[in-house]
């Protein structure tokens, strides 16, 4: 079971408090959407969960791996954390000098120490799953944004993570291209993957995610079952935010 | 005239060898210097900064004299050619370190983050993700530097390396001619740098197509 537990996590940049005592738990297989205005700390929260940004205090636990944020993280723990938790970025961040196939294979070879042939086979499997097997020998620059993001998802899945973090995966995409990415994500959710998704796609938040966390100014201002939050938000701040997003 | 041409041409292998070796030394040693330049520990960083400053601001001729007459006249004896390779190589290293630094700074931080998030540790992150992309960005500046280096190797004639400039000077003194043979020398330098530039331009374009998003 790979539950995720975020306990009293805080993060500062200098004096600027970006995350202020964040607490939540996610059960294995749950899909949680994080919404909130820009600058509220959503990206920072995701980046803290996989230690791309080490938090200043609190505890991050993924499965039986527990990171005490005040201690210096052990390399073996960081390796385990990143193998357990995959991440997908808004700007895809594919490796432009490698073919699509090599993008997906690289971490398998370097992290899991899989032989190249085996890694490439697994990569093909994943590329088929995101519908891009025919692109395997192309370079990422030859793929559309939607295709690049699906490749990025395949790349993150290549380490067989137990949970996936998505930071606004469709924000850089046209609506149609965003849709193909959301479809892949929905399929992933149906396989029982634990997912935390920062998104402005309210339909995804409402229909695919089990729960929604609303952030503002580095805090969680609302947290609950998706349908409830989307239909009857409790705080004025959430109501205001939902209005603004829906009016776009 | 034809005889003059051939005697100048005799210097070409040394000019090319010196350029090539100095560039190889510099391209390789530029790496550790660049890394030291980025190190977290201050003394390490300052050492690299000092090295870069010294080798970029003191003229090549001074370094060649220092190495050939200074180091080379002590217990270890250095031939003019080896002295020139070391001197020009270290100057190249200092410049390449700066070129690498610029290429690294130009890299999208998202590349490092993606590799880190995939659990790829520092060594492989650099080897498989960062350095290959850096080399591509560094290529144009590196070629510009290499062509400059080719010209600068003429300074090695002053410590007795018998490359193109050396041959021209010797010939000028032997025959009391000037203009013609220097024109020949000029054309030889152009002829050597031209293929460099063409290949580099071709490589740059093909590589850029891939790296471009
Ligand atoms: N590396 C950084 N250095 C300083 N401030 C940062 C850094 N990263 C983010 N911030 C600040 O933290 C706040 C939250 O940013 P972020 O987590 O990106 O918000 P969101 O993803 O919700 O838009 C912002 O005010 C931003 O300016
Ligand atoms: Mg963000």
């Amino acid at each position: 079971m790979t539950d995720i537990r975020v306990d009293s996590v805080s993060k500062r940049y200098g004096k600027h408090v970006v995350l202020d005592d964040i607490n939540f738990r996610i059960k294995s297989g749950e899909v949680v959407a994080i919404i909130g205005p820009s600058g509220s700390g959503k990206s920072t929260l995701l980046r803290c969960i996989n230690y791309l940004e080490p938090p200043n205090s609190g505890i991050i636990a993924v499965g039986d791996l527990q990171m005490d944020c005040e201690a210096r993280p052990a390399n073996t723990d960081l390796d385990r954390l990143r193998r357990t938790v995959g991440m997908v970025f808004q700007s895809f961040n594919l490796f432009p000098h490698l073919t699509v196939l090599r993008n997906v294979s690289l971490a398998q070879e370097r992290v899991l120490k899989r032989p190249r042939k085996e890694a490439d086979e697994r990569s093909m499997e994943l590329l088929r799953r995101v519908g891009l097997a025919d692109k395997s020998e192309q370079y990422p620059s030859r793929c559309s944004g939607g295709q690049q993001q699906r490749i990025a998802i395949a790349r993150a899945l290549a380490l067989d993570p137990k949970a996936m973090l998505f930071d606004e995966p469709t924000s850089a995409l046209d609506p149609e291209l965003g849709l193909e990415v959301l479809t892949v994500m929905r399929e992933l959710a149906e396989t029982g993957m634990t997912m935390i998704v920062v998104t402005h796609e309210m339909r995804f938040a409402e229909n695919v995610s089990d729960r929604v966390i609303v952030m503002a100014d580095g805090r969680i201002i609302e947290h609950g079952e998706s349908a409830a939050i989307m239909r009857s938000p409790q705080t004025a701040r959430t109501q205001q935010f939902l209005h603004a997003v829906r009016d776009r | 005239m034809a005889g003059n041409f051939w005697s100048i041409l005799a210097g070409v292998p040394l000019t090319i060898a010196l350029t090539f070796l100095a560039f190889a030394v510099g391209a390789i040693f530029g790496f550790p210097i660049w890394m030291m330049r980025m190190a977290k520990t201050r003394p390490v960083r300052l050492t690299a900064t000092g090295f870069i400053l010294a080798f970029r601001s003191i003229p090549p001729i001074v370094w060649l004299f220092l190495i050939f007459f200074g180091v080379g006249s002590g217990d270890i004896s250095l031939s003019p050619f080896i002295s020139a390779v070391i001197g020009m190589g270290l100057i190249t290293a200092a410049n390449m370190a700066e070129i690498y630094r610029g290429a690294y700074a130009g890299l999208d931080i998202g590349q490092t983050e993606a590799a880190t998030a995939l659990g790829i540790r520092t060594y492989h992150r650099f080897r498989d993700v960062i350095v290959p992309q850096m080399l591509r960005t560094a290529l144009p500046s590196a070629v510009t530097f290499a062509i400059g280096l080719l010209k600068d190797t003429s300074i090695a004639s002053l410590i007795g390396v018998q490359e193109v400039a050396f041959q021209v000077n010797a010939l000028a003194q032997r025959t009391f001619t000037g203009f013609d043979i220097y024109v020949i020398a000029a054309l030889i330098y152009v002829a050597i740098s031209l293929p460099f530039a063409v290949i580099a331009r071709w490589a740059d374009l093909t590589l850029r197509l891939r790296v471009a998003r």
Side-chain angles (χ1 to χ4, degrees):
Chain A
M1 279 291 119
T2 318
D3 297 355
I4 296 178
R5 181 159 58 86
V6 172
D7 265 355
S8 322
V9 163
S10 296
K11 173 73 183 174
R12 295 179 303 274
Y13 288 113
K15 279 196 179 140
H16 181 35
V17 178
V18 177
L19 293 178
D20 185 7
D21 190 28
I22 301 288
N23 293 280
F24 62 85
R25 274 155 204 253
I26 295 175
K27 287 213 196 62
S28 194
E30 258 188 319
V31 177
V32 174
I34 301 181
I35 63 173
S38 135
S40 54
K42 307 181 297 295
S43 297
T44 307
L45 176 56
L46 284 197
R47 296 157 60 82
C48 280
I49 293 175
N50 76 351
Y51 261 68
L52 223 42
E53 297 285 355
N56 295 109
S57 58
I59 285 172
I60 302 231
V62 177
D64 56 5
L65 173 66
Q66 182 159 316
M67 313 285 291
D68 173 359
C69 304
E70 269 159 75
R72 194 191 148 95
N75 275 334
T76 49
D77 286 346
L78 287 178
D79 289 347
R80 262 185 76 199
L81 181 64
R82 284 163 186 160
R83 217 148 74 181
T84 318
V85 182
M87 179 141 185
V88 172
F89 301 86
Q90 179 176 348
S91 49
F92 331 133
N93 297 343
L94 292 178
F95 306 130
H97 60 299
L98 300 178
T99 62
V100 167
L101 185 72
R102 303 300 305 153
N103 262 275
V104 185
S105 291
L106 184 64
Q108 298 177 59
E109 287 171 47
R110 298 301 180 239
V111 180
L112 305 180
K113 312 284 180 218
R114 259 183 207 153
R116 178 164 181 161
K117 191 158 165 288
E118 213 176 293
D120 283 349
E121 276 167 22
R122 172 75 177 132
S123 301
M124 281 311 293
E125 223 171 87
L126 288 163
L127 286 172
R128 267 194 292 277
R129 191 161 147 198
V130 298
L132 290 171
D134 58 324
K135 293 284 179 188
S136 62
E137 293 308 318
Q138 298 278 356
Y139 283 88
S141 56
R142 300 286 299 274
C143 301
S144 73
Q147 291 170 338
Q148 291 194 41
Q149 193 61 298
R150 282 145 65 198
I151 296 161
I153 293 174
R155 180 177 70 174
L157 289 173
L159 293 179
D160 304 312
K162 300 288 182 281
M164 289 275 283
L165 311 174
F166 295 83
D167 191 2
E168 299 198 34
T170 59
S171 294
L173 301 173
D174 294 338
E176 314 92 87
L177 298 182
L179 209 59
E180 61 187 50
V181 172
L182 290 172
T183 306
V184 167
M185 289 170 62
R186 181 192 290 260
E187 286 166 7
L188 189 59
E190 280 159 8
T191 67
M193 177 65 76
T194 312
M195 291 165 58
I196 306 181
V197 185
V198 172
T199 187
H200 291 301
E201 301 282 345
M202 291 305 134
R203 248 175 315 202
F204 183 89
E206 183 161 358
N207 302 333
V208 181
S209 68
D210 304 298
R211 282 188 292 135
V212 171
I213 289 176
V214 189
M215 288 185 68
D217 301 327
R219 293 166 169 274
I220 293 179
I221 56 169
E222 205 157 338
H223 179 182
E225 202 219 323
S226 304
I229 292 206
M230 303 308 281
R231 282 184 209 132
S232 46
Q234 299 301 303
T235 67
R237 192 77 200 266
T238 309
Q239 289 165 8
Q240 190 191 343
F241 173 74
L242 288 176
H243 270 298
V245 177
R246 281 171 179 151
D247 285 349
R248 269 193 316 185
Chain B
M1 200 62 217
N4 290 349
F5 177 69
W6 288 114
S7 75
I8 300 174
L9 216 54
V12 168
L14 272 183
T15 291
I16 292 180
L18 180 52
T19 308
F20 185 81
L21 287 176
F23 189 78
V25 167
I28 292 165
F29 278 92
F31 259 98
I33 295 164
W34 160 61
M35 289 186 168
M36 285 169 68
R37 180 80 173 68
M38 301 202 314
K40 290 202 183 81
T41 358
R42 195 141 178 259
V44 176
R45 216 166 49 230
L46 284 180
T47 308
T49 312
F51 177 92
I52 292 170
L53 191 70
F55 278 93
R56 295 212 327 160
S57 52
I58 298 173
I61 179 72
V62 177
W63 280 116
L64 292 203
F65 282 154
L66 279 176
I67 291 168
F68 182 59
F69 296 113
V71 182
S73 65
D75 293 336
I76 24 173
S77 82
L78 297 173
S79 72
F81 183 74
I82 295 295
S83 305
V85 168
I86 295 174
M88 304 303 285
L90 293 177
I91 290 167
T92 307
N95 282 278
M96 287 306 291
E98 287 295 277
I99 290 174
Y100 293 145
R101 188 163 73 99
Y104 181 74
L107 262 195
D108 181 0
I109 182 76
Q111 293 291 307
T112 302
E113 290 184 347
T116 308
L118 284 167
I120 299 173
R121 287 240 193 132
T122 313
Y123 171 74
H124 279 115
R125 197 167 69 233
F126 273 85
R127 205 191 80 174
D128 298 329
V129 176
I130 307 217
V131 171
Q133 294 187 60
M134 269 175 57
L135 291 182
R136 282 160 202 210
T137 350
L139 188 68
S141 334
V143 171
T144 307
F145 183 82
I147 292 174
L149 177 66
L150 169 72
K151 294 183 287 183
D152 283 351
T153 55
S154 55
I155 291 162
S157 61
L158 296 177
I159 55 171
V161 180
Q162 306 191 349
E163 41 66 83
V164 173
F166 183 93
Q167 304 290 356
V168 181
N169 286 329
L171 194 64
Q173 279 160 25
R174 256 197 334 267
T175 60
F176 302 104
T177 50
F179 188 74
D180 298 2
I181 55 172
Y182 282 104
V183 169
I184 294 175
L187 292 177
I188 288 177
Y189 278 108
V190 171
I192 304 175
S193 39
L194 220 53
F196 258 114
V198 171
I199 292 170
R201 189 165 162 68
W202 169 82
D204 187 39
L205 284 176
T206 44
L207 295 176
R208 217 158 259 266
L209 279 180
R210 280 193 207 160
V211 179
R213 289 153 193 277

